[in-house]
Amino acid sequence: MPSHLSADRPAAQPPGRGSVDALISQTRRLKGDVDAVRRDAEEKADHPRGRWQRALYDLALHQLNDLDEHLAQLRDGPLPTAAPELAVPAPGSLLSRVGSAEWNLLTDEASWSGELYRILGRDPAAPPLTLDELPSLVLDEDRPKLTTMVTNCLVDARPIDGEFRIARQGGDVRTVHMMGEPVLDTDGSTASMWAVLRDVSELRRSQRVVSETRDSLPDQRQDARTEHRLAVELQEAVLPPWLGSLRLPHRGPRTLDLAARRLSASTHTLIGGDWYDALELTDGETLLSVGDLTGHGVGVTSNMTMLLGAVRGMAMAGAPPGQLMAWLNQLLDATVQPALGSAVCCRYRPGTRTLVWAQAGHPAPLLFRDGTGRVLGAPDGVLLGATSGAVYGQAEETLEVGDLLLLHTDGLVPGHTGTAAANLLLDLAPRLTGTATAQDCLRTVVQEFGECERADNACVLVAKITS
């Protein structure tokens, strides 16, 4: 915006809150559409073209998340002590610059896109750095993080999804987000590694400034503490207690051993919209659900309580998981404030030990049996509130006595999401299947990941088939 006023033209005005809310709503609907298309690309992940398509869809979701956050800052307005140039995100910083690279381990050749040279501050005439040379650009304290990501990718074939800081010529420090996967040879060994890298420096700088400015304002800190307390009280009023195993008023033999836990963010971040639930239904079946609404604060927690109440009511009325998800989507789509969420809902039938479930853009349940674990194949389902009239599929899984089910929200494994987070949880299979109770299993998960520094809240629900 101009720093002076023209004598014959009024000063440009910031967009109204209503128009920004409309942009936020459109952005979130687009995220839902991209997420749905990305699921189709996952089926072609073994083909090089399909792999790059999936990477582009993942990248688009990251970019839309960044845009969503920028728009939310714009809607909420500048903070009282924020510098003028930081009050509203600059148009050029709304989307991150993106580059790509591939490293061939058989020939030791590397290939970089032109934009990656610019992101890393390298001379385009210079040869691309090998994987051994890449850490030379990274700040000392971040090198172990990059080394671990690359090692896990090359040795254990795990996807890369993380950030590190680089020092460019002249002392300019930039934050780079890296996503990538290994490419396996016919014998199963890693032949090459590809990655897409984003310069997310402006977004992280904006986040830091907003956080630091709010922390410097005593009144806002007091308001934040009050809002945090109210949000916590709302959560505690509606969610089942997590201390010890969950107790359901069983009228017959106990068929499920249940335990759950909320894990709070390490910082003073406001409580979010994460939930877990276990409810015994009138037909003897059990409802298990976890979910998450975007955002933080009392408003989001209030929406979460509304959504959880709707889940319980519709399940009691006999709605199957797929239909239940479709109605939840309609409910969020009809709310006055734009809302977006993810969820998994399951009905467990003890007579046949059958799990019927549906999901809306959420991590699929993990099944542990006989010392191993796997991710259940997810039926179709876009994010709640993302698009009107969405249809949600259902999946069925026959379980056995001793099986463990683990349902969780994003953020359970700090610093990892999606496939990377699922793989780390599946690595616990030998320890989890050897536990006597659901509470023992939950304690193992919390000891492994619950005591780490985490940027967001998370929920985890464990169910053990006992008979």
Side-chain angles (χ1 to χ4, degrees):
M1 294 177 63
S3 59
H4 62 280
L5 301 181
S6 171
D8 58 358
R9 184 177 62 184
Q13 296 297 314
R17 184 184 181 94
S19 62
V20 176
D21 276 340
L23 287 173
I24 292 174
S25 180
Q26 292 175 19
T27 300
R28 292 177 178 176
R29 290 179 189 277
L30 182 57
K31 285 164 63 176
D33 292 339
V34 173
D35 183 68
V37 178
R38 180 176 64 98
R39 292 184 178 278
D40 292 335
E42 287 181 349
E43 299 178 0
K44 307 171 185 176
D46 292 333
H47 189 278
R49 182 176 178 182
R51 185 171 62 248
W52 279 104
Q53 279 186 330
R54 189 184 66 178
L56 291 174
Y57 289 133
D58 287 340
L59 180 62
L61 286 174
H62 277 287
Q63 297 278 37
L64 288 170
N65 283 330
D66 294 351
L67 180 59
D68 190 3
E69 182 163 343
H70 278 299
L71 289 171
Q73 290 182 10
L74 181 62
R75 178 193 61 191
D76 296 337
L79 296 172
T81 59
E85 65 272 14
L86 296 175
V88 176
S93 68
L94 287 178
L95 297 179
S96 310
R97 296 166 57 188
V98 180
S100 61
E102 184 160 7
W103 289 273
N104 190 314
L105 304 182
L106 303 179
T107 63
D108 204 28
E109 294 177 336
S111 174
W112 286 10
S113 69
E115 187 61 20
L116 183 56
Y117 278 92
R118 288 184 282 274
I119 291 173
L120 301 182
R122 299 283 294 173
D123 181 358
L129 298 180
T130 66
L131 282 177
D132 291 334
E133 296 169 335
L134 187 62
S136 65
L137 301 179
V138 180
L139 297 188
D140 291 344
E141 53 267 41
D142 287 359
R143 284 179 187 171
K145 184 188 305 184
L146 174 62
T147 301
T148 299
M149 289 193 300
V150 172
T151 301
N152 288 341
C153 181
L154 300 182
V155 177
D156 298 327
R158 293 181 180 176
I160 288 178
D161 189 349
E163 292 182 6
F164 51 88
R165 292 165 298 167
I166 63 168
R168 303 199 301 193
Q169 290 184 353
D172 181 24
V173 175
R174 310 295 292 178
T175 302
V176 177
H177 177 243
M178 183 177 185
M179 294 185 304
E181 286 190 358
V183 178
L184 303 182
D185 206 346
T186 54
D187 62 357
S189 62
T190 303
S192 63
M193 189 188 88
W194 60 266
V196 289
L197 296 94
R198 299 190 302 145
D199 184 345
V200 295
S201 305
E202 295 305 319
L203 177 63
R204 297 297 173 252
R205 178 171 173 266
S206 175
Q207 290 173 332
R208 286 195 303 271
V209 170
V210 171
S211 177
E212 291 167 4
T213 305
R214 284 179 175 155
D215 288 344
S216 69
L217 301 173
D219 290 343
Q220 287 197 4
R221 287 204 304 268
Q222 181 59 40
D223 291 345
R225 285 194 291 268
T226 301
E227 188 171 354
H228 184 277
R229 185 179 69 252
L230 290 174
V232 169
E233 290 174 356
L234 266 175
Q235 270 196 340
E236 292 178 345
V238 298
L239 296 185
W242 59 264
L243 188 60
S245 298
L246 297 180
R247 300 297 181 186
L248 300 180
H250 286 269
R251 289 176 291 276
R254 182 177 294 276
T255 58
L256 287 179
D257 179 20
L258 300 169
R261 181 74 177 267
R262 294 192 310 273
L263 300 171
S264 300
S266 304
T267 62
H268 298 294
T269 305
L270 292 175
I271 295 295
D274 298 75
W275 88 79
Y276 65 86
D277 196 27
L279 181 67
E280 188 178 44
L281 305 176
T282 55
D283 56 7
E285 298 179 3
T286 300
L287 172 74
L288 304 175
S289 70
V290 295
D292 182 20
L293 285 181
T294 56
H296 300 90
V298 173
V300 172
T301 309
S302 178
N303 280 340
M304 179 272 290
T305 62
M306 172 194 71
L307 211 63
L308 182 55
V311 170
R312 292 169 174 172
M314 288 186 285
M316 277 293 189
Q323 181 63 68
L324 191 153
M325 286 294 188
W327 285 339
L328 287 182
N329 182 63
Q330 292 180 20
L331 180 62
L332 275 189
D333 190 49
T335 56
V336 176
Q337 293 294 334
L340 197 69
S342 68
V344 164
C345 287
C346 312
R347 286 182 75 108
Y348 177 65
R349 301 168 179 165
T352 58
R353 298 197 193 98
T354 303
L355 186 79
V356 182
W357 68 285
Q359 64 83 32
H362 198 88
L366 305 181
L367 173 62
F368 297 90
R369 176 186 295 167
D370 298 331
T372 62
R374 61 182 174 91
V375 181
L376 297 187
D380 292 337
V382 299
L383 293 168
L384 297 173
T387 183
S388 300
V391 176
Y392 294 83
Q394 287 187 169
E396 291 193 12
E397 188 75 27
T398 301
L399 304 179
E400 301 177 0
V401 174
D403 282 355
L404 279 170
L405 277 174
L406 190 150
L407 283 64
H408 67 95
T409 60
D410 270 334
L412 175 60
V413 182
H416 298 274
T417 59
T419 303
N423 286 338
L424 290 173
L425 288 166
L426 292 175
D427 287 344
L428 298 178
R431 295 163 60 186
L432 297 184
T433 54
T435 56
T437 67
Q439 187 62 31
D440 292 334
C441 172
L442 179 65
R443 189 176 297 111
T444 298
V445 174
V446 172
Q447 287 173 348
E448 189 71 23
F449 302 114
E451 298 173 358
C452 304
E453 292 287 323
R454 63 181 61 252
D456 201 1
N457 308 286
C459 289
V460 56
L461 172 64
V462 175
K464 183 172 185 178
I465 312 302
T466 57
S467 65

